[in-house]
Amino acid sequence: MNERGKSGFILIVVVLAMMMVGVVQADEVSEIEQDIETYQEQKQQKSRETEEANQKLEEIEAKINQAYDEFQELDEEAAKTESDIEETERDKAQTEEEISALQIKIEELEERIAERDKLLKDRVRSMYQANGSLDYVEVILGASNFSDFIERISALHSIAKQDRNLLDEHIDDQKALETAQDELEEAALRLENQIEELADLLEDIEQQLKEKEDIVANLEEQKIDTENFIVSNEEEMAIVESQEAAAKEELEQAKARQQSAQGGSGALQWPTPGRTVTSSYGPRTHPVHGTEGFHYGIDISRNGGTTITAAEEGTVIGARYMSGYGNTILISHAIGNQTVTTLYAHLASIDVKQGQRVSRGEKIGVMGTTGVSTGIHLHFEVHEGGWNGQKSNSVNPLNYLN
Ligand SMILES: [Zn+2]
């Protein structure tokens, strides 16, 4: 390979390397952008899940409240049934007491009936057996006359009849009492059945209460699970959010790296040793006046040093105090086939004179804060063509700086 071939080859390699740097950084940016998108999707997913869980939680709480209401109703029903049972048991006990009282009366009557029956039988027997087996006949035959005879017979009959009537009355009384007792026993049986039914009802209610308790316990468990899910989901959300914030930071840095790697045309040299831009070219709020405006240059911080050097070889066309700019130097350069003007403002001191030729990188002054300025920095402008009051030729200096 000859010299020309060699340098051509080197140029191609350099250009390819520069292109690759750009490609690699473009990939890094798009990768981070993809990550951010993923985080945003995750966040959306999480907030959907949290929203759903909150809705579920509301539903569970409504169900729990309803279950508690039903629980209370059943509890009241159980208490009422219990008092019904008690009342019925009291009724039954009273009925049983009445039955016992009747039983005693019946027994008394039975005794009286037995006595009366015996008396009647004795009386009849005595009619036949007074002083022997023919007493009745003798009483009748002992009559002195017919009238006496009739009297004797009817006396005997009337005594027997009275006894008979009393006996019949007693028997009627006993029957009535027995009927009353039967009725009371039936009533007692009905009360007993009623108690059994109430007991069944109570058992049923208690079973329902038990079921409700299980339902509530289950719901409470679901509620805790859902609440835990919401909390952990919110914690995960916070992590995703910080990951997203970190990725955004990385993206800014990657973009800045890409920007600086792409750089400007390299036609101009940085006018300060430090290359920290504190305010970029473009629209901004004025740091002193607070008005919306346009920043026609870049501000470079004092970090790295305060020596100001010429960005390119050229002729000093201005070196004086200017309104707003403070101590200012303007240099005209020929770059390619056009004129480019650079401007250095707010200088502490000016080391060159108007009309002077300066070389690239030559010291021309010292950084300061003269004019309208908030602190020591260099305000640096680049104009394609000459400088004018409207700054209509201004361009972003970064397009030219290497
Ligand atoms: Zn500025």
Side-chain angles (χ1 to χ4, degrees):
M1 209 183 278
N2 62 29
E3 283 303 309
R4 267 181 69 187
K6 240 185 231 171
S7 59
F9 175 74
I10 289 166
L11 185 67
I12 288 166
V13 168
V14 167
V15 167
L16 274 178
M18 280 170 73
M19 280 169 71
M20 276 168 72
V21 167
V23 166
V24 166
Q25 270 154 356
D27 276 358
E28 191 188 3
V29 166
S30 74
E31 236 170 76
I32 298 169
E33 277 170 345
Q34 232 166 1
D35 285 351
I36 291 172
E37 214 171 287
T38 307
Y39 293 138
Q40 280 166 349
E41 277 164 17
Q42 284 177 356
K43 270 168 60 185
Q44 277 174 1
Q45 172 75 13
K46 297 246 163 271
S47 70
R48 261 200 306 275
E49 282 171 2
T50 301
E51 203 180 308
E52 277 167 15
N54 273 320
Q55 212 171 328
K56 192 179 164 197
L57 195 63
E58 258 175 49
E59 282 166 19
I60 291 170
E61 275 166 354
K63 278 185 193 165
I64 289 174
N65 286 341
Q66 199 195 332
Y68 275 128
D69 284 350
E70 287 168 2
F71 201 84
Q72 207 181 333
E73 268 173 41
L74 282 170
D75 222 25
E76 280 164 14
E77 216 178 305
K80 193 188 170 297
T81 307
E82 273 168 7
S83 88
D84 283 354
I85 289 175
E86 273 171 30
E87 200 183 316
T88 313
E89 270 168 353
R90 273 198 302 276
D91 286 353
K92 194 190 154 206
Q94 201 191 328
T95 307
E96 276 164 355
E97 262 173 45
E98 284 170 21
I99 290 170
S100 307
L102 277 181
Q103 188 62 41
I104 291 165
K105 279 187 187 163
I106 288 167
E107 276 164 17
E108 281 170 7
L109 272 179
E110 272 171 353
E111 262 172 51
R112 268 188 244 159
I113 288 164
E115 277 168 24
R116 189 60 61 185
D117 193 43
K118 190 166 170 292
L119 197 67
L120 189 66
K121 279 178 184 150
D122 287 352
R123 186 103 59 204
V124 171
R125 200 175 300 117
S126 72
M127 280 191 253
Y128 290 94
Q129 292 180 336
N131 307 318
S133 57
L134 292 170
D135 194 45
Y136 186 61
V137 176
E138 274 170 20
V139 169
I140 296 165
L141 293 183
S144 52
N145 52 37
F146 184 73
S147 162
D148 186 30
F149 169 75
I150 293 298
E151 204 174 304
R152 281 176 185 233
I153 284 186
S154 70
L156 279 172
H157 272 271
S158 118
I159 289 163
K161 193 160 191 322
Q162 273 178 16
D163 285 336
R164 187 71 240 170
N165 284 345
L166 267 173
L167 185 63
D168 284 347
E169 264 174 45
H170 286 333
I171 287 168
D172 285 348
D173 285 352
Q174 192 197 15
K175 273 186 187 148
L177 286 174
E178 274 171 356
T179 306
Q181 195 189 26
D182 283 350
E183 278 169 11
L184 282 174
E185 266 164 8
E186 267 170 37
L189 198 64
R190 272 201 303 278
L191 289 170
E192 181 59 42
N193 285 340
Q194 217 172 311
I195 289 166
E196 269 169 32
E197 274 168 25
L198 286 169
D200 284 350
L201 179 63
L202 186 61
E203 204 180 311
D204 187 52
I205 292 167
E206 272 162 2
Q207 179 64 32
Q208 285 184 56
L209 277 170
K210 175 90 189 54
E211 279 164 18
K212 281 278 172 272
E213 261 175 39
D214 290 348
I215 289 170
V216 170
N218 184 267
L219 285 169
E220 295 279 9
E221 218 169 281
Q222 280 183 41
K223 187 182 164 187
I224 289 167
D225 286 350
T226 309
E227 281 169 345
N228 286 342
F229 175 80
I230 290 169
V231 169
S232 64
N233 214 35
E234 276 167 0
E235 281 166 3
E236 282 168 32
M237 176 76 128
I239 291 168
V240 173
E241 272 171 353
S242 54
Q243 276 174 330
E244 188 195 357
K248 278 182 175 166
E249 187 80 19
E250 278 170 38
L251 181 65
E252 285 309 309
Q253 286 169 9
K255 276 182 177 169
R257 277 198 296 278
Q258 200 178 34
Q259 178 92 29
S260 71
Q262 283 166 356
S265 65
L268 296 177
Q269 184 182 303
W270 281 79
T272 58
R275 296 176 168 202
T276 312
V277 174
T278 53
S279 181
S280 353
Y281 176 86
R284 71 159 184 185
T285 306
H286 196 276
V288 174
H289 301 124
T291 49
E292 295 302 316
F294 196 93
H295 194 215
Y296 291 99
I298 57 171
D299 291 344
I300 305 171
S301 93
R302 65 193 298 186
N303 295 340
T306 54
T307 302
I308 310 293
T309 52
E312 179 55 286
E313 132 181 90
T315 306
V316 176
I317 54 168
R320 60 190 170 90
Y321 192 93
M322 288 171 77
S323 160
Y325 282 129
N327 292 326
T328 306
I329 299 170
L330 286 136
I331 303 175
S332 178
H333 317 276
I335 293 174
N337 52 10
Q338 72 169 339
T339 303
V340 170
T341 307
T342 55
L343 179 147
Y344 315 76
H346 308 311
L347 305 186
S349 62
I350 296 172
D351 295 357
V352 290
K353 288 190 169 67
Q354 193 172 340
Q356 186 183 328
R357 282 292 293 177
V358 289
S359 52
R360 182 182 172 98
E362 186 182 328
K363 186 184 176 196
I364 53 172
V366 175
M367 198 185 276
T369 184
T370 54
V372 179
S373 168
T374 54
I376 294 170
H377 76 282
L378 172 67
H379 174 84
F380 181 64
E381 288 179 13
V382 174
H383 300 265
E384 287 177 346
W387 178 89
N388 60 58
Q390 287 74 46
K391 294 145 195 159
S392 60
N393 294 335
S394 80
V395 293
N396 189 345
L398 290 180
N399 293 347
Y400 278 86
L401 292 170
N402 50 27

